[in-house]
Amino acid sequence: MKLTIHGAGYVGLVTGACLAEVGNDVINVDVDQAKVDKLNGGGIPIFEPGLTDLVRRNHEAGRLQFTTDLEAGVRHGVVQFIAVGTPPDEDGSADLQHVLAVASNIGRWMDDYKVIVDKSTVPVGTADRVAAVVRQALDDRGQDVDFDVVSNPEFLKEGAAVGDFMKPDRIVIGTNSEQAAKILRRVYQPFSRNHDKLILMDVRSAELTKYAANGLLATKISFMNELANLAELYDADIEKVRIGIGSDPRIGYSFIYPGCGYGGSCFPKDVRALSRSAEQIGYRAELIDAVEAINNRQKELLFDKVSAHFNADLKGKTIALWGLAFKPNTDDMREAPSRSLMESVWAAGGHVRAYDPQAMQEAGHIYGERADLLLCESAEAALEGADALVVVTEWQEFRSPDFDGVKASLSEPVIFDGRNIYDPDTMQEVGITYYSIGRGARAA
Ligand SMILES: NC(=O)c1ccc[n+]([C@@H]2O[C@H](COP(=O)([O-])OP(=O)(O)OC[C@H]3O[C@@H](n4cnc5c(N)ncnc54)[C@H](O)[C@@H]3O)[C@@H](O)[C@H]2O)c1
């Protein structure tokens, strides 16, 4: 099938590459000339496991093309996927300018039936707005061309995006159009072979499903973080509590890890956007607001612990930081807890020596050259001469370091573990003062 994907970011590029992999003729359109040039030159603008080979293979086979030519993109696909960014607006609601710009382009150039698919995460009611913009653009041309607007939220996880797309848990399609449903069933059939993954529903329910999923996952994290803070006050161990509750099949073990807060390009903005869109229809989403407030507080927790350890005097102190990406297996630093921590350390007069297996370039883009940030080439190099180690992202390579080496490199043997990846007893044995989340402080 001829398919067009608008947006070549984390979602658009993965979607385009996976749809090309199963034999479709895909054009990926992006307004970012540098990104398109890089992709056409064989480069990949993001780190995502498995994506490089997939993109190159399909690009070389001619099934996956990259362009900034919006008109060519619109003319190409019977299905037009919109996978552009929906960043938070000033008040936290989803900024739909990119989505609506694509809608306008589609209306401007289309001359036969199109299925327009909202894959970006967008508030309930957006499909109607997209349809109105397309219709307006058609009217401006004096054209009457048939189209459907479908909601098809994306549930892939960064770090496992290719696998998630190729073997999805579910494919949600929101439409009342039989024609659009039939076409999308064909598009997704290769990803639904094991059993039918397609869940058909009305457009608004599909739009809300995405916010419901992210809202609930964020709620699980904030709930555990609230409990972790309580555990610390009670002198209980949240990791024991986690095992205790996870064993209940109604609760389960996944997504109940306490930590230094959630980040990334989705949870923070989607939780906020859900709250703002509820407000706009006169409803106060109290639970969702609390999830956000707890997370904002949690993102400050590591800094508070560091600051308290050094008696609120970080001037001249150097903090070694392991992990910049918001989670392992990605280079994405959008709303990452590492950023809150670094910015608080800098504001307090401290310095940071940071290392991340993939996000070093991204950190360089965000912060540029600054005297109080040194991006180091290895985890060991980040430790040299630092006064403390803070672990923010649970990359595999941080899980079992040479603790004697860590101790020898730090001017004071102290670790702040934002992901509870180390064992407090081991830390005590090796003589490292250890702070983690919800397990109290353990002096060496
Ligand atoms: N990143 C994720 O893990 C994830 C998962 C599920 C859903 N989503 C949602 O998918 C959407 C895209 O997210 P992302 O992380 O891929 O964003 P991104 O910022 O990585 O990519 C967006 C791309 O869209 C391009 N773009 C902007 N305006 C355009 C236009 N008018 N025409 C063509 N391209 C245009 C940008 O240049 C950019 O390359 C968001 O709504 C997000 O919430 C993201």
Coordinates of all heavy atoms in Angstrom, one line a residue, residues 122-124 151 203-213 274:
V122 N -3.4 13.2 21.1 CA -4.1 14.5 21.0 C -5.4 14.4 21.9 O -6.0 13.3 22.0 CB -4.5 14.8 19.5 CG1 -3.3 15.1 18.7 CG2 -5.2 13.6 18.9
P123 N -5.8 15.6 22.4 CA -7.0 15.6 23.3 C -8.3 15.1 22.6 O -8.4 15.3 21.4 CB -7.1 17.0 23.7 CG -5.9 17.7 23.3 CD -5.2 16.9 22.3
V124 N -9.2 14.7 23.4 CA -10.5 14.3 22.8 C -11.1 15.5 22.1 O -11.2 16.6 22.6 CB -11.4 13.8 24.0 CG1 -12.8 13.5 23.5 CG2 -10.8 12.7 24.8
S151 N -8.8 8.1 14.7 CA -7.8 8.1 15.8 C -7.2 6.8 16.0 O -7.8 5.8 16.0 CB -8.6 8.5 17.1 OG -7.7 8.3 18.2
V203 N -14.3 7.4 17.7 CA -13.1 8.3 17.7 C -12.8 8.8 19.0 O -11.6 8.8 19.5 CB -13.3 9.5 16.7 CG1 -12.1 10.3 16.7 CG2 -13.6 8.9 15.3
R204 N -13.8 9.3 19.7 CA -13.5 10.0 21.0 C -13.0 9.0 22.1 O -12.1 9.3 22.9 CB -14.7 10.8 21.5 CG -14.9 12.0 20.7 CD -16.2 12.8 21.1 NE -16.2 14.0 20.3 CZ -16.0 15.2 20.9 NH1 -15.9 15.3 22.2 NH2 -15.9 16.3 20.2
S205 N -13.5 7.8 22.1 CA -13.1 6.8 23.0 C -11.6 6.5 22.7 O -10.8 6.3 23.7 CB -13.9 5.6 23.0 OG -15.3 5.9 23.3
A206 N -11.3 6.4 21.4 CA -9.9 6.1 21.1 C -8.9 7.2 21.6 O -7.9 6.9 22.1 CB -9.8 5.9 19.6
E207 N -9.4 8.4 21.4 CA -8.5 9.5 21.8 C -8.3 9.5 23.3 O -7.2 9.7 23.8 CB -9.2 10.9 21.4 CG -9.1 11.1 19.9 CD -9.9 12.3 19.4 OE1 -10.9 12.7 20.0 OE2 -9.5 12.9 18.4
L208 N -9.4 9.2 24.0 CA -9.3 9.1 25.5 C -8.5 7.9 26.0 O -7.8 8.0 27.0 CB -10.7 9.1 26.1 CG -10.8 9.3 27.6 CD1 -10.0 10.5 28.1 CD2 -12.2 9.3 28.1
T209 N -8.5 6.8 25.2 CA -7.8 5.6 25.6 C -6.3 5.9 25.8 O -5.7 5.4 26.7 CB -8.0 4.5 24.5 OG1 -9.4 4.2 24.5 CG2 -7.2 3.2 24.9
K210 N -5.7 6.7 24.9 CA -4.3 7.0 25.0 C -4.0 7.7 26.4 O -3.1 7.4 27.1 CB -3.8 7.8 23.8 CG -2.4 8.3 23.9 CD -1.4 7.1 23.8 CE 0.0 7.6 24.2 NZ 0.9 6.5 24.2
Y211 N -4.8 8.7 26.7 CA -4.6 9.5 27.9 C -4.9 8.6 29.1 O -4.2 8.7 30.2 CB -5.5 10.7 28.0 CG -4.9 11.8 27.1 CD1 -5.4 12.0 25.8 CD2 -3.9 12.6 27.5 CE1 -4.9 13.0 25.0 CE2 -3.3 13.6 26.7 CZ -3.8 13.8 25.4 OH -3.3 14.8 24.6
A212 N -5.9 7.7 29.0 CA -6.2 6.8 30.1 C -5.0 5.9 30.4 O -4.6 5.6 31.5 CB -7.4 6.0 29.7
A213 N -4.4 5.4 29.3 CA -3.2 4.4 29.5 C -2.0 5.2 30.2 O -1.5 4.7 31.2 CB -2.8 3.9 28.1
L274 N -4.1 16.1 30.0 CA -5.4 15.5 30.4 C -6.1 16.4 31.4 O -7.3 16.6 31.4 CB -5.2 14.1 31.0 CG -6.4 13.3 31.5 CD1 -7.5 13.2 30.4 CD2 -6.1 11.9 32.0

